mmCIF file with all atom_site columns, all heavy atoms in Angstrom:
data_model
loop_
_atom_site.group_PDB
_atom_site.id
_atom_site.type_symbol
_atom_site.label_atom_id
_atom_site.label_alt_id
_atom_site.label_comp_id
_atom_site.label_asym_id
_atom_site.label_entity_id
_atom_site.label_seq_id
_atom_site.pdbx_PDB_ins_code
_atom_site.Cartn_x
_atom_site.Cartn_y
_atom_site.Cartn_z
_atom_site.occupancy
_atom_site.B_iso_or_equiv
_atom_site.pdbx_formal_charge
_atom_site.auth_seq_id
_atom_site.auth_comp_id
_atom_site.auth_asym_id
_atom_site.auth_atom_id
_atom_site.pdbx_PDB_model_num
ATOM 1  N N   . GLY J 1 202 ? 19.463 0.076   -22.531 1.00 48.00 ? 209 GLY J N   1
ATOM 2  C CA  . GLY J 1 202 ? 20.268 0.559   -23.629 1.00 48.00 ? 209 GLY J CA  1
ATOM 3  C C   . GLY J 1 202 ? 20.053 -0.204  -24.910 1.00 48.00 ? 209 GLY J C   1
ATOM 4  O O   . GLY J 1 202 ? 20.563 0.163   -25.962 1.00 48.00 ? 209 GLY J O   1
ATOM 5  N N   . SER J 1 203 ? 19.285 -1.286  -24.834 1.00 47.00 ? 210 SER J N   1
ATOM 6  C CA  . SER J 1 203 ? 19.005 -2.091  -26.028 1.00 47.00 ? 210 SER J CA  1
ATOM 7  C C   . SER J 1 203 ? 17.659 -1.674  -26.596 1.00 47.00 ? 210 SER J C   1
ATOM 8  O O   . SER J 1 203 ? 16.668 -1.613  -25.889 1.00 47.00 ? 210 SER J O   1
ATOM 9  C CB  . SER J 1 203 ? 18.984 -3.584  -25.677 1.00 47.00 ? 210 SER J CB  1
ATOM 10 O OG  . SER J 1 203 ? 18.450 -4.332  -26.739 1.00 47.00 ? 210 SER J OG  1
ATOM 11 N N   . CYS J 1 204 ? 17.617 -1.392  -27.908 1.00 45.00 ? 211 CYS J N   1
ATOM 12 C CA  . CYS J 1 204 ? 16.376 -0.940  -28.516 1.00 45.00 ? 211 CYS J CA  1
ATOM 13 C C   . CYS J 1 204 ? 15.317 -2.040  -28.519 1.00 45.00 ? 211 CYS J C   1
ATOM 14 O O   . CYS J 1 204 ? 14.137 -1.775  -28.680 1.00 45.00 ? 211 CYS J O   1
ATOM 15 C CB  . CYS J 1 204 ? 16.631 -0.446  -29.937 1.00 45.00 ? 211 CYS J CB  1
ATOM 16 S SG  . CYS J 1 204 ? 17.266 -1.717  -31.053 1.00 45.00 ? 211 CYS J SG  1
ATOM 17 N N   . ALA J 1 205 ? 15.761 -3.299  -28.363 1.00 55.00 ? 212 ALA J N   1
ATOM 18 C CA  . ALA J 1 205 ? 14.821 -4.409  -28.439 1.00 55.00 ? 212 ALA J CA  1
ATOM 19 C C   . ALA J 1 205 ? 14.212 -4.758  -27.094 1.00 55.00 ? 212 ALA J C   1
ATOM 20 O O   . ALA J 1 205 ? 13.151 -5.365  -27.024 1.00 55.00 ? 212 ALA J O   1
ATOM 21 C CB  . ALA J 1 205 ? 15.514 -5.637  -29.025 1.00 55.00 ? 212 ALA J CB  1
ATOM 22 N N   . ALA J 1 206 ? 14.877 -4.398  -26.001 1.00 81.00 ? 213 ALA J N   1
ATOM 23 C CA  . ALA J 1 206 ? 14.462 -4.880  -24.688 1.00 81.00 ? 213 ALA J CA  1
ATOM 24 C C   . ALA J 1 206 ? 13.424 -3.970  -24.046 1.00 81.00 ? 213 ALA J C   1
ATOM 25 O O   . ALA J 1 206 ? 13.452 -2.749  -24.198 1.00 81.00 ? 213 ALA J O   1
ATOM 26 C CB  . ALA J 1 206 ? 15.666 -5.015  -23.786 1.00 81.00 ? 213 ALA J CB  1
ATOM 27 N N   . PHE J 1 207 ? 12.504 -4.580  -23.319 1.00 93.00 ? 214 PHE J N   1
ATOM 28 C CA  . PHE J 1 207 ? 11.594 -3.826  -22.474 1.00 93.00 ? 214 PHE J CA  1
ATOM 29 C C   . PHE J 1 207 ? 11.398 -4.624  -21.192 1.00 93.00 ? 214 PHE J C   1
ATOM 30 O O   . PHE J 1 207 ? 11.627 -5.831  -21.153 1.00 93.00 ? 214 PHE J O   1
ATOM 31 C CB  . PHE J 1 207 ? 10.252 -3.551  -23.170 1.00 93.00 ? 214 PHE J CB  1
ATOM 32 C CG  . PHE J 1 207 ? 9.480  -4.783  -23.553 1.00 93.00 ? 214 PHE J CG  1
ATOM 33 C CD1 . PHE J 1 207 ? 8.595  -5.389  -22.659 1.00 93.00 ? 214 PHE J CD1 1
ATOM 34 C CD2 . PHE J 1 207 ? 9.629  -5.354  -24.809 1.00 93.00 ? 214 PHE J CD2 1
ATOM 35 C CE1 . PHE J 1 207 ? 7.880  -6.526  -23.012 1.00 93.00 ? 214 PHE J CE1 1
ATOM 36 C CE2 . PHE J 1 207 ? 8.917  -6.488  -25.176 1.00 93.00 ? 214 PHE J CE2 1
ATOM 37 C CZ  . PHE J 1 207 ? 8.040  -7.074  -24.273 1.00 93.00 ? 214 PHE J CZ  1
ATOM 38 N N   . THR J 1 208 ? 10.984 -3.937  -20.145 1.00 94.00 ? 215 THR J N   1
ATOM 39 C CA  . THR J 1 208 ? 10.855 -4.564  -18.837 1.00 94.00 ? 215 THR J CA  1
ATOM 40 C C   . THR J 1 208 ? 9.423  -4.476  -18.337 1.00 94.00 ? 215 THR J C   1
ATOM 41 O O   . THR J 1 208 ? 8.689  -3.535  -18.630 1.00 94.00 ? 215 THR J O   1
ATOM 42 C CB  . THR J 1 208 ? 11.797 -3.892  -17.817 1.00 94.00 ? 215 THR J CB  1
ATOM 43 O OG1 . THR J 1 208 ? 11.533 -2.479  -17.776 1.00 94.00 ? 215 THR J OG1 1
ATOM 44 C CG2 . THR J 1 208 ? 13.252 -4.111  -18.200 1.00 94.00 ? 215 THR J CG2 1
ATOM 45 N N   . VAL J 1 209 ? 9.054  -5.490  -17.551 1.00 97.00 ? 216 VAL J N   1
ATOM 46 C CA  . VAL J 1 209 ? 7.721  -5.560  -16.959 1.00 97.00 ? 216 VAL J CA  1
ATOM 47 C C   . VAL J 1 209 ? 7.902  -5.862  -15.475 1.00 97.00 ? 216 VAL J C   1
ATOM 48 O O   . VAL J 1 209 ? 8.670  -6.757  -15.104 1.00 97.00 ? 216 VAL J O   1
ATOM 49 C CB  . VAL J 1 209 ? 6.862  -6.665  -17.606 1.00 97.00 ? 216 VAL J CB  1
ATOM 50 C CG1 . VAL J 1 209 ? 5.445  -6.651  -17.016 1.00 97.00 ? 216 VAL J CG1 1
ATOM 51 C CG2 . VAL J 1 209 ? 6.816  -6.509  -19.118 1.00 97.00 ? 216 VAL J CG2 1
ATOM 52 N N   . GLY J 1 210 ? 7.213  -5.138  -14.627 1.00 97.00 ? 217 GLY J N   1
ATOM 53 C CA  . GLY J 1 210 ? 7.277  -5.385  -13.191 1.00 97.00 ? 217 GLY J CA  1
ATOM 54 C C   . GLY J 1 210 ? 5.909  -5.715  -12.637 1.00 97.00 ? 217 GLY J C   1
ATOM 55 O O   . GLY J 1 210 ? 4.945  -4.970  -12.884 1.00 97.00 ? 217 GLY J O   1
ATOM 56 N N   . LEU J 1 211 ? 5.799  -6.828  -11.912 1.00 98.00 ? 218 LEU J N   1
ATOM 57 C CA  . LEU J 1 211 ? 4.537  -7.246  -11.305 1.00 98.00 ? 218 LEU J CA  1
ATOM 58 C C   . LEU J 1 211 ? 4.687  -7.245  -9.788  1.00 98.00 ? 218 LEU J C   1
ATOM 59 O O   . LEU J 1 211 ? 5.626  -7.845  -9.248  1.00 98.00 ? 218 LEU J O   1
ATOM 60 C CB  . LEU J 1 211 ? 4.135  -8.652  -11.767 1.00 98.00 ? 218 LEU J CB  1
ATOM 61 C CG  . LEU J 1 211 ? 3.662  -8.814  -13.215 1.00 98.00 ? 218 LEU J CG  1
ATOM 62 C CD1 . LEU J 1 211 ? 4.844  -8.904  -14.156 1.00 98.00 ? 218 LEU J CD1 1
ATOM 63 C CD2 . LEU J 1 211 ? 2.796  -10.051 -13.370 1.00 98.00 ? 218 LEU J CD2 1
#
Side-chain angles (χ1 to χ4, degrees):
S210 168
C211 62
F214 61 88
T215 56
V216 183
L218 289 81

